[in-house]
Amino acid sequence: MDMPVNVPVDNPNADTEWNDILRKHGVIPEKPPSPTPIIEEAILEAQRRAHENRLEDKDLDELDALEDEEDEEFLEQYRKKRLVELSTLQKASVFNQVYPLQKTDYAREVTEVSSHAFVLVNLTSMGGNVESRVLSEIWRQLAPKYGEVKFCEIRADMCIEGYPERNTPTILAYKDGEIRRQFVTLRELNGVRTKIEDVEKVLVDLGAIKEGDLRLRKQDEDDRGDRETNEAEDDDDDDDWD
Protein backbone atom coordinates (compact mmCIF):
# COMPACT_ATOMS: atom_id res chain seq x y z
CA MET A 1 0.00 0.00 0.00
CA ASP A 2 1.40 3.43 -1.01
CA MET A 3 1.89 5.76 1.90
CA PRO A 4 1.77 9.55 1.51
CA VAL A 5 5.17 11.12 1.35
CA ASN A 6 5.87 14.43 3.07
CA VAL A 7 7.74 16.49 0.53
CA PRO A 8 9.74 19.38 2.02
CA VAL A 9 8.75 22.71 0.54
CA ASP A 10 10.54 25.86 1.66
CA ASN A 11 8.26 28.31 -0.15
CA PRO A 12 5.31 26.93 -2.15
CA ASN A 13 4.89 30.27 -3.96
CA ALA A 14 8.49 30.48 -5.16
CA ASP A 15 9.19 30.19 -8.89
CA THR A 16 11.50 27.18 -8.82
CA GLU A 17 11.84 24.10 -11.03
CA TRP A 18 11.17 21.89 -8.01
CA ASN A 19 7.93 23.70 -7.19
CA ASP A 20 6.84 23.42 -10.83
CA ILE A 21 7.25 19.62 -10.59
CA LEU A 22 5.28 19.51 -7.34
CA ARG A 23 2.48 21.62 -8.82
CA LYS A 24 2.36 19.38 -11.89
CA HIS A 25 1.76 16.35 -9.71
CA GLY A 26 -0.71 18.11 -7.43
CA VAL A 27 1.53 17.98 -4.38
CA ILE A 28 1.23 21.71 -3.83
CA PRO A 29 -1.53 23.97 -5.17
CA GLU A 30 -1.11 26.13 -8.23
CA LYS A 31 0.47 29.48 -7.55
CA PRO A 32 -2.16 32.23 -7.33
CA PRO A 33 -2.07 34.68 -10.22
CA SER A 34 -0.01 37.81 -9.71
CA PRO A 35 -2.12 40.86 -8.88
CA THR A 36 0.25 43.10 -10.85
CA PRO A 37 -1.44 42.69 -14.28
CA ILE A 38 -4.86 43.30 -12.69
CA ILE A 39 -3.61 46.44 -10.96
CA GLU A 40 -1.95 47.69 -14.13
CA GLU A 41 -5.12 47.06 -16.10
CA ALA A 42 -7.18 48.97 -13.51
CA ILE A 43 -4.77 51.91 -13.67
CA LEU A 44 -4.93 51.99 -17.47
CA GLU A 45 -8.73 51.84 -17.37
CA ALA A 46 -8.84 54.70 -14.86
CA GLN A 47 -6.52 56.77 -17.05
CA ARG A 48 -8.64 56.01 -20.12
CA ARG A 49 -11.83 57.08 -18.34
CA ALA A 50 -10.16 60.23 -16.99
CA HIS A 51 -9.04 61.14 -20.50
CA GLU A 52 -12.48 60.50 -21.99
CA ASN A 53 -14.16 62.55 -19.25
CA ARG A 54 -11.59 65.36 -19.13
CA LEU A 55 -14.14 67.87 -20.39
CA GLU A 56 -16.98 66.64 -18.20
CA ASP A 57 -16.87 69.56 -15.73
CA LYS A 58 -16.03 72.34 -18.19
CA ASP A 59 -18.48 75.17 -18.83
CA LEU A 60 -18.98 76.82 -22.23
CA ASP A 61 -16.29 79.47 -21.70
CA GLU A 62 -13.76 76.84 -20.65
CA LEU A 63 -14.61 74.72 -23.67
CA ASP A 64 -14.08 77.69 -25.98
CA ALA A 65 -10.65 78.25 -24.41
CA LEU A 66 -9.61 74.72 -25.40
CA GLU A 67 -10.20 75.13 -29.16
CA ASP A 68 -6.49 74.95 -29.95
CA GLU A 69 -5.89 71.92 -27.74
CA GLU A 70 -8.82 69.59 -28.47
CA ASP A 71 -10.39 68.05 -31.54
CA GLU A 72 -13.09 70.41 -32.80
CA GLU A 73 -15.68 67.66 -33.34
CA PHE A 74 -15.03 66.33 -29.83
CA LEU A 75 -15.41 69.83 -28.36
CA GLU A 76 -18.62 70.42 -30.29
CA GLN A 77 -20.17 67.33 -28.73
CA TYR A 78 -19.50 68.75 -25.28
CA ARG A 79 -20.77 72.19 -26.27
CA LYS A 80 -24.07 70.66 -27.36
CA LYS A 81 -24.21 68.65 -24.14
CA ARG A 82 -23.67 71.78 -22.04
CA LEU A 83 -26.31 73.72 -23.99
CA VAL A 84 -28.82 70.91 -23.39
CA GLU A 85 -27.96 70.92 -19.67
CA LEU A 86 -28.36 74.70 -19.46
CA SER A 87 -31.65 74.58 -21.33
CA THR A 88 -32.93 71.86 -19.00
CA LEU A 89 -31.95 73.89 -15.93
CA GLN A 90 -33.59 77.03 -17.30
CA LYS A 91 -36.85 75.20 -17.99
CA ALA A 92 -36.81 73.62 -14.51
CA SER A 93 -35.85 76.90 -12.82
CA VAL A 94 -39.35 78.08 -12.00
CA PHE A 95 -39.19 79.08 -8.32
CA ASN A 96 -36.06 81.28 -7.87
CA GLN A 97 -37.11 82.89 -4.58
CA VAL A 98 -37.98 82.12 -0.98
CA TYR A 99 -41.73 81.61 -0.58
CA PRO A 100 -43.30 82.79 2.71
CA LEU A 101 -45.96 80.32 3.78
CA GLN A 102 -49.30 80.55 5.53
CA LYS A 103 -50.60 77.50 7.37
CA THR A 104 -53.76 77.45 5.27
CA ASP A 105 -51.69 77.21 2.07
CA TYR A 106 -49.24 74.59 3.34
CA ALA A 107 -50.80 71.57 1.61
CA ARG A 108 -51.07 73.34 -1.75
CA GLU A 109 -47.70 75.14 -1.68
CA VAL A 110 -45.65 72.32 -0.19
CA THR A 111 -47.21 68.86 -0.31
CA GLU A 112 -48.78 69.19 -3.76
CA VAL A 113 -45.78 70.95 -5.33
CA SER A 114 -43.51 68.20 -4.01
CA SER A 115 -45.12 65.80 -6.47
CA HIS A 116 -42.95 67.30 -9.22
CA ALA A 117 -40.17 69.15 -7.35
CA PHE A 118 -38.18 69.06 -4.15
CA VAL A 119 -39.55 71.46 -1.54
CA LEU A 120 -37.51 72.58 1.47
CA VAL A 121 -39.31 74.29 4.34
CA ASN A 122 -37.57 76.36 6.99
CA LEU A 123 -39.58 76.42 10.23
CA THR A 124 -38.00 79.50 11.67
CA SER A 125 -37.80 81.01 15.13
CA MET A 126 -40.42 83.36 16.53
CA GLY A 127 -37.70 85.45 18.18
CA GLY A 128 -35.21 85.15 15.34
CA ASN A 129 -32.49 83.15 17.09
CA VAL A 130 -29.02 83.09 15.56
CA GLU A 131 -29.37 79.75 13.74
CA SER A 132 -32.69 80.87 12.24
CA ARG A 133 -31.09 84.04 10.91
CA VAL A 134 -28.20 82.01 9.48
CA LEU A 135 -30.56 79.61 7.70
CA SER A 136 -32.80 82.39 6.38
CA GLU A 137 -29.77 84.01 4.75
CA ILE A 138 -28.69 80.67 3.24
CA TRP A 139 -32.24 80.17 1.91
CA ARG A 140 -32.07 83.63 0.31
CA GLN A 141 -28.86 82.74 -1.51
CA LEU A 142 -29.80 79.21 -2.54
CA ALA A 143 -33.28 79.97 -3.91
CA PRO A 144 -32.17 81.84 -7.06
CA LYS A 145 -29.18 79.55 -7.54
CA TYR A 146 -31.24 76.34 -7.58
CA GLY A 147 -34.51 77.52 -9.06
CA GLU A 148 -35.75 73.96 -9.63
CA VAL A 149 -35.99 73.52 -5.84
CA LYS A 150 -38.73 75.37 -3.96
CA PHE A 151 -37.46 77.04 -0.78
CA CYS A 152 -40.18 78.01 1.68
CA GLU A 153 -40.22 79.64 5.09
CA ILE A 154 -42.79 79.91 7.85
CA ARG A 155 -42.62 80.76 11.52
CA ALA A 156 -42.68 77.45 13.38
CA ASP A 157 -45.40 78.37 15.91
CA MET A 158 -47.66 79.58 13.07
CA CYS A 159 -47.26 76.24 11.31
CA ILE A 160 -47.44 73.91 14.32
CA GLU A 161 -49.15 75.25 17.41
CA GLY A 162 -46.89 75.07 20.44
CA TYR A 163 -43.79 74.10 18.44
CA PRO A 164 -40.82 74.50 20.82
CA GLU A 165 -38.65 77.53 20.14
CA ARG A 166 -35.58 75.47 21.08
CA ASN A 167 -36.20 73.23 18.04
CA THR A 168 -35.88 76.08 15.57
CA PRO A 169 -34.87 76.33 12.89
CA THR A 170 -36.19 73.02 11.57
CA ILE A 171 -35.65 71.95 7.97
CA LEU A 172 -38.28 69.74 6.33
CA ALA A 173 -37.39 68.31 2.92
CA TYR A 174 -40.40 67.10 0.88
CA LYS A 175 -40.66 65.01 -2.27
CA ASP A 176 -43.68 63.16 -3.65
CA GLY A 177 -45.86 64.27 -0.77
CA GLU A 178 -43.57 62.89 1.93
CA ILE A 179 -40.92 64.25 4.27
CA ARG A 180 -37.67 62.73 3.00
CA ARG A 181 -35.36 64.36 5.53
CA GLN A 182 -35.60 66.64 8.52
CA PHE A 183 -33.11 68.58 10.63
CA VAL A 184 -34.11 69.87 14.04
CA THR A 185 -31.87 72.94 14.50
CA LEU A 186 -28.60 73.14 12.56
CA ARG A 187 -26.74 70.87 14.98
CA GLU A 188 -26.35 68.08 12.37
CA LEU A 189 -24.98 70.55 9.84
CA ASN A 190 -22.54 72.98 11.43
CA GLY A 191 -24.54 74.96 13.96
CA VAL A 192 -24.21 78.71 13.68
CA ARG A 193 -21.24 78.13 11.34
CA THR A 194 -23.45 76.38 8.77
CA LYS A 195 -22.61 77.53 5.26
CA ILE A 196 -24.20 77.25 1.83
CA GLU A 197 -22.08 74.22 0.95
CA ASP A 198 -23.42 72.35 4.01
CA VAL A 199 -26.97 72.69 2.71
CA GLU A 200 -25.82 71.97 -0.86
CA LYS A 201 -24.49 68.64 0.41
CA VAL A 202 -27.97 67.92 1.78
CA LEU A 203 -29.43 68.73 -1.65
CA VAL A 204 -26.99 66.31 -3.29
CA ASP A 205 -27.73 63.58 -0.73
CA LEU A 206 -31.46 64.03 -1.36
CA GLY A 207 -30.99 63.85 -5.12
CA ALA A 208 -32.38 67.35 -5.57
CA ILE A 209 -29.21 68.30 -7.46
CA LYS A 210 -26.59 66.08 -9.06
CA GLU A 211 -23.21 65.57 -7.48
CA GLY A 212 -21.43 66.81 -10.61
CA ASP A 213 -23.61 69.92 -10.99
CA LEU A 214 -21.53 72.75 -12.48
CA ARG A 215 -23.12 75.20 -10.04
CA LEU A 216 -21.42 73.39 -7.17
CA ARG A 217 -18.01 73.80 -8.81
CA LYS A 218 -18.71 77.47 -9.47
CA GLN A 219 -19.35 77.96 -5.76
CA ASP A 220 -16.03 76.29 -4.89
CA GLU A 221 -14.19 78.53 -7.35
CA ASP A 222 -15.84 81.67 -5.97
CA ASP A 223 -14.91 80.64 -2.42
CA ARG A 224 -11.30 80.06 -3.46
CA GLY A 225 -11.23 83.43 -5.19
CA ASP A 226 -12.58 85.16 -2.08
CA ARG A 227 -10.01 83.42 0.11
CA GLU A 228 -7.17 84.39 -2.22
CA THR A 229 -8.39 88.00 -2.31
CA ASN A 230 -8.61 88.13 1.49
CA GLU A 231 -5.14 86.61 1.83
CA ALA A 232 -3.72 89.16 -0.63
CA GLU A 233 -5.34 92.02 1.30
CA ASP A 234 -3.91 90.64 4.55
CA ASP A 235 -0.45 90.53 2.94
CA ASP A 236 -0.85 94.15 1.82
CA ASP A 237 -1.84 95.15 5.35
CA ASP A 238 1.21 93.37 6.73
CA ASP A 239 3.43 95.23 4.25
CA ASP A 240 2.13 98.54 5.53
CA TRP A 241 3.67 97.74 8.90
CA ASP A 242 7.13 96.92 7.54
Side-chain angles (χ1 to χ4, degrees), residues 29-93:
E30 291 291 331
K31 184 181 177 182
S34 170
T36 302
I38 298 175
I39 294 173
E40 290 177 347
E41 184 178 346
I43 292 173
L44 289 173
E45 176 64 15
Q47 291 173 339
R48 182 186 67 78
R49 288 181 178 274
H51 182 71
E52 288 182 352
N53 298 327
R54 64 191 180 279
L55 304 182
E56 196 63 39
D57 61 348
K58 304 293 185 187
D59 60 26
L60 289 173
D61 290 337
E62 290 170 323
L63 291 174
D64 289 341
L66 293 173
E67 285 185 347
D68 295 334
E69 301 175 23
E70 297 286 349
D71 177 74
E72 181 59 31
E73 184 177 351
F74 187 59
L75 274 177
E76 189 59 28
Q77 292 177 359
Y78 271 89
R79 286 195 188 98
K80 290 179 179 178
K81 181 179 179 181
R82 290 291 169 269
L83 288 170
V84 169
E85 290 172 351
L86 289 171
S87 175
T88 301
L89 283 175
Q90 288 172 353
K91 290 177 181 177
S93 186

Side-chain angles (χ1 to χ4, degrees), residues 123-141:
L123 301 181
T124 192
S125 162
M126 176 178 64
N129 61 37
V130 176
E131 286 192 1
S132 287
R133 293 200 299 272
V134 167
L135 189 61
S136 291
E137 175 59 21
I138 291 174
W139 247 227
R140 187 186 67 79
Q141 294 181 54

Side-chain angles (χ1 to χ4, degrees), residues 136-153:
S136 291
E137 175 59 21
I138 291 174
W139 247 227
R140 187 186 67 79
Q141 294 181 54
L142 289 178
K145 184 176 182 181
Y146 301 104
E148 71 273 31
V149 179
K150 187 174 184 180
F151 290 87
C152 301
E153 189 169 271

